[in-house]
Each structure stands twice: as C-alpha cells, then as structure tokens.
C-alpha cells in the first residue's frame, strides 16, 4: 500500500508491504542508514526514532503505522549551521566508542531535553534505560546528554 | 526479521474494527501498541492472516475518572498512565516498571491485558484492584470481570469477533493504597517475580478490602484469595502481613530457570508480598 511519511521534514511517499517494519522503510526507502538494526527484538534501542517527537523502537512498528506522521532520525538532528548540541556533546565528552547505539542515545536525549532541559544524572539514566550500549559503560553518554542540556540552555 | 504476510486494515471506528475482526474469524489480531504482537509476528510465533490496526480510531485514547472508575481506553499507552495524576495505588506504582521507556511510549495497558502473558504486569494489578474489561463485538458490548477475563497462559475470554475497548478500575471511596513490587534482571526484561497489592481501610482502620496477585511465578496471573481472606477484617500489622505473605508464597508455583531457582523465587514472593502490603497500608493510612 502507498504511504507518506514525513521523514526529517521531507515527505516520502512509497509503496510498501504492510509487513515492512518502520526501520526498514527508513533505511531502504528513505535511504537513511543512521537508524540501526541491533537486536531486532525490541531490546536494544539502536533503532530508536522520534515519532511525532516521541522516542519509539522502529523495529517494533510497521511502516504503515507511520503513514501521515512525522519521523525524526539521527540525520534530522543536524542543524543548518552544523552539529546539534547533542552531537557536539557526544563528540566532546567521548559519549561513543563503536557508535552503534549512538543515534538512539542521541534521539532519546533530544526527547528528554525537550521535556526536561536540565536533567539530573538519574533522569538521564532513567530516560536511556531502554537503550543498550556495550562500549562506554554509559558514564560519558550521561555526561554528554547533560552537557548538551547545559549548552542548549545558554545558547 | 519480518512478519509473515497479512492483510492490513486501518480501522477508523470500533464498529469497523469489530466488523473486520468478525470477518476474519480466529485469524485476526488487533494491533494497538504492538510491543508484544509485532515481536511475536517477527519471530513467527504469531502469523495472523489479518491485522486490524486501531491506532486511528478516535476516542480510544481516553484516560479518565468517571462514575467512580478509572477508565483506560484501548489506546492509552503505559507512558500516559505513568505520567497521569489520575492513576492511583498499584496502578501508579506499576506503570513506570512496565518494560522500558521506549516500549512504554507505544505499548498499551489494554493490549497487555488481552495478551495474557503470565509474565505481564498489568493483569496482576487489575486482579488486585478488581477491574473489569470491556469488550465489544458485533452484537454489542459486555463487561468481563478480570478474574474471568484471564483464562490461562496467553488465553483470554474474548470471542473471536470481540476486541477490548476499555479497562475500568474501581476508584476506592475511602482510604486506600496499593503497590506493585517487581524484580527484574534488567530494564525491559520480564519480571522474575512481581506482586501487586491493594488495600482499602474501613472507618475503624481495619482492612475492608484486600487484593493480592502474582506475576511470573504462576502459569497465569493469579489472585491469592487465601491471603486476601486473612487480611480482610483485621488491622494492618507486621504479623498480619507476614501471614499473608506466607500464604502468597505457598500459592506461587515458581520454576527453576535462568532467572533463578524455584526456592529463591518463592522466598522473593514472600518478601515482596510483605513489602507491597506494607507500602499499600502506609499509603492508605496517609490518605
């Protein structure tokens, strides 16, 4: 069936099988590969995207469910004048090693900062608890999200 | 991983959803949050011929208190409940512990209830609070007490042509409290053990109504009637709660698995029942 998804602000109309998962729609039809397929079983959060601003696991949603809705991927964070403060903060604070979980972590961070511009360490840990990182031990991810919040508050 | 092929129906009303479901016999599934159904379809544990998506049905996302009931519509997400001031007692206590934050943004209480996974949390909370499930079929609506709705392991009381539209949880008039105590290995894992408790106090401070139910240590979410009977009519006390906790432990049927030994889990049931009742009583005595 034909669906239109607003992907990072641009309307994408494609024919899909109803069983197409949103993550595959984004990667193959949208040709945006920043959204990763990790566990593929709703456990790891590597496929996190924002659906109308709310973080969800795109491996556990059908593309047809996103028809008419706005999806933001990590590529959508980038600003005209350069990196999003979260992207800059992940770089600055060494919030990634292999980078596989990073898009999900940044999108969850973006949604958190939208609701709570100055989260505590506990707030951040709670928010990212559906996203798994196997490299960093989370310390620097937490630091990066809080640093981005501080940066966004002053800019 | 992809699900098997299916026909997709995006229903615009409950009537349309019910008609579609009725037309497909026992081979249709309702898609609400999809946080259990889609993984099951991807793993081919479920392969419905038809998927009836209710996400575009207006009105099903209502979470409200009317006529002494907390009414939770079929599209109310776990996260909606977690941040709502309308939730109370064991419901408010359980909501933040459902799966993980991302799953809570899509998954629904009604979907979890209909799924009847004995490791799911909500059915224990509903058994403890005495909720009703509202089902709609081609011939109209019926209200099913949660004790009848949970039939067995992954088996509910719905007929093939029915869908859950709402869950109604009675809001106590007087002093009440509730708690959900859950042990999980990590965020997003199923419960190793969980216990729901709900208490209502009478004018004298004695327990007028009690609900205790178990998750993950019984073949289906189970109300511990023996423990409830011991509680009702008595004043909250450590000794009373220990007695009820012992009965809950005896009622549990845990099994040895990767999450722990049966003996250890039974002990967790005992400790968590006591903690849940203590927290419920403290809340009731404050309110």
């Amino acid at each position: 069936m034909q669906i239109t998804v607003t992907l990072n602000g641009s309307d994408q109309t494609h024919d899909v099988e109803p069983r197409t998962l949103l993550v595959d729609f984004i990667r193959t039809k949208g040709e945006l590969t920043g959204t990763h397929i990790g566990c593929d079983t709703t456990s790891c959060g590597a496929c996190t995207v924002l659906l109308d601003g709310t973080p969800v696991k795109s491996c556990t949603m059908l593309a047809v469910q996103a028809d008419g809705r706005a999806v933001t991927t990590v590529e959508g964070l980038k600003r005209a004048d350069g990196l999003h403060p979260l992207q800059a903060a992940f770089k600055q604070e060494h919030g990634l090693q292999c980078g596989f979980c990073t898009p999900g972590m940044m999108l969850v961070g973006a949604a958190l900062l939208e609701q709570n511009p100055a989260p505590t360490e506990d707030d951040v840990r709670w928010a990212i608890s559906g996203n798994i990182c196997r490299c960093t031990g989370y310390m620097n991810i937490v630091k990066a999200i809080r640093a981005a919040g501080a940066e966004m508050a002053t800019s | 991983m992809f699900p098997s092929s299916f026909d997709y129906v995006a229903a615009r009303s409950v009537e349309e959803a019910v008609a579609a479901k009725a037309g497909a016999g026992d081979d249709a599934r309702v898609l609400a949050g999809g946080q259990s159904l889609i993984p099951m379809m991807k793993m081919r544990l479920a392969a419905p011929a038809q998927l009836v998506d209710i996400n575009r049905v207006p009105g099903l996302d209502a979470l409200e208190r009317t006529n002494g009931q907390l009414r939770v519509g079929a599209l109310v997400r776990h996260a909606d409940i977690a941040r709502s001031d309308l939730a109370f007692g064991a419901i408010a206590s359980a909501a933040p512990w459902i799966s993980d934050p991302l799953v809570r943004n899509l998954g629904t209480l009604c979907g979890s209830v209909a799924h009847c996974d004995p490791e799911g949390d909500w059915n224990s909370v509903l058994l403890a609070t005495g909720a009703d499930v509202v089902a709609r079929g081609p011939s109209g609506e019926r209200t099913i007490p949660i004790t009848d709705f949970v039939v067995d392991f992954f088996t509910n009381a719905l007929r093939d042509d029915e869908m859950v539209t709402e869950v109604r949880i009675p809001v106590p008039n007087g002093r009440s409290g509730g708690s959900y105590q859950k042990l999980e290995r990590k965020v997003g894992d199923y419960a190793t053990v969980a216990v729901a408790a709900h208490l209502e106090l009478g004018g004298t401070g004695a327990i007028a109504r009690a609900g205790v139910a178990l998750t993950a240590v019984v073949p289906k979410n189970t109300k511990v009637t023996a423990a409830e009977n011991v509680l009702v009519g008595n004043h909250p006390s450590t000794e009373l709660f220990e007695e009820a906790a012992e009965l809950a432990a005896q009622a549990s049927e845990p099994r040895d698995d990767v999450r722990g030994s049966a003996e250890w889990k039974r002990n967790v049931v005992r400790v968590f029942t006591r903690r849940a009742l203590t927290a419920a009583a403290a809340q009731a005595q404050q309110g």
Side-chain angles (χ1 to χ4, degrees), chain A residues 1 17-19 21 24 40-42 48 54-57 59-62 64-65 67 108 126-127 129-131, chain B residues 1-6 8 31 34-35 38-39 42 44 51 53 55-56 96 100-106 187:
Chain A
M1 65 183 273
E17 269 193 82
R19 63 176 175 161
L21 299 164
D24 293 296
D40 209 4
T41 56
T42 331
T48 301
T54 300
V56 299
K57 292 178 176 174
C59 80
T60 312
M61 185 171 167
L62 303 170
V64 290
Q65 290 180 272
D67 186 20
V108 165
W126 184 257
S129 62
N131 297 72
Chain B
M1 294 189 290
F2 294 94
S4 296
S5 295
F6 52 83
Y8 174 78
L31 175 65
Q35 301 299 285
I38 293 177
K42 287 168 70 177
R44 310 292 172 108
L51 208 54
D53 184 355
N55 283 279
R56 290 163 207 277
D100 70 42
L102 303 166
V103 169
R104 286 199 292 277
N105 284 338
L106 280 183
V187 170

Side-chain angles (χ1 to χ4, degrees), chain B:
Chain B
M1 294 189 290
F2 294 94
S4 296
S5 295
F6 52 83
D7 291 329
Y8 174 78
V9 179
R12 299 282 167 174
S13 67
V14 171
E15 290 70 27
E16 226 178 273
V18 166
K21 198 156 187 275
D26 67 354
D27 217 3
R29 287 286 177 280
V30 169
L31 175 65
Q35 301 299 285
S36 297
L37 180 57
I38 293 177
M40 286 182 77
M41 289 171 65
K42 287 168 70 177
M43 289 185 268
R44 310 292 172 108
L45 295 168
Q50 187 180 74
L51 208 54
V52 182
D53 184 355
I54 60 167
N55 283 279
R56 290 163 207 277
V57 176
L60 289 182
D61 59 351
L63 174 63
E64 55 196 12
R65 279 197 191 192
T66 48
N67 302 326
Q69 290 170 322
L70 178 66
R71 300 171 62 162
V72 184
L75 289 177
V76 173
R77 318 286 165 174
H78 308 301
D80 297 330
I81 301 168
R83 62 173 161 254
S84 171
D85 295 337
L86 300 177
F88 60 91
I91 299 136
S93 171
W97 296 104
I98 308 296
S99 192
D100 70 42
L102 303 166
V103 169
R104 286 199 292 277
N105 284 338
L106 280 183
T108 65
L109 177 143
C110 288
S112 168
V113 167
H115 189 44
C116 277
D117 183 337
E119 293 179 320
D121 302 293
W122 283 122
N123 279 342
S124 290
V125 173
L126 301 193
L127 284 164
T129 54
D132 288 324
V133 179
V134 180
R136 186 86 69 85
S139 51
E141 192 173 276
R142 66 181 176 126
T143 302
I144 309 166
I146 187 69
T147 43
D148 297 336
F149 185 83
V150 181
V151 174
D152 208 343
F153 181 80
F154 292 104
T155 308
N156 63 40
L158 290 178
R159 292 192 279 259
D160 289 340
D161 57 6
E162 286 180 319
M163 62 171 273
V164 174
T165 54
E166 188 175 275
V167 162
R168 296 180 185 159
I169 304 152
V171 180
N173 283 321
R175 291 185 295 165
S176 71
S179 174
Y180 191 64
Q181 300 284 322
K182 179 176 179 179
L183 179 67
E184 57 184 12
R185 292 182 302 176
K186 58 171 278 294
V187 170
D189 191 14
Y190 294 103
T192 301
V193 175
V195 181
H198 172 80
L199 293 176
E200 294 177 35
L201 303 183
T204 62
I207 296 167
R209 217 191 138 266
V212 176
L214 306 180
T215 304
V217 285
V218 263
K220 60 173 185 173
N221 299 75
T222 300
K223 198 171 151 66
V224 189
T225 314
E228 295 171 354
N229 290 344
V230 154
L231 293 164
V232 171
N234 289 304
H235 283 76
S237 72
T238 308
E239 297 71 29
L240 181 68
F241 291 164
E242 273 171 7
E243 190 183 347
E246 181 55 39
L247 290 166
Q250 284 170 18
S252 69
E253 304 166 39
R255 296 202 291 190
D256 294 336
D257 66 12
V258 67
R259 293 183 176 86
S261 71
E263 186 192 0
W264 171 72
K265 289 184 199 175
R266 194 186 297 276
N267 203 36
V268 177
V269 172
R270 182 182 297 111
V271 173
F272 275 28
T273 304
R274 194 187 67 221
R275 284 185 194 171
L277 288 168
T278 305
Q283 196 180 70
Q285 283 161 347
Q286 277 168 12

Side-chain angles (χ1 to χ4, degrees), chain A residues 91-110:
Chain A
K91 182 181 170 195
Q92 181 66 32
E93 301 293 335
H94 297 275
L96 66 152
Q97 287 179 30
C98 85
F100 202 82
C101 72
T102 312
M105 291 291 183
M106 292 200 292
L107 289 164
V108 165

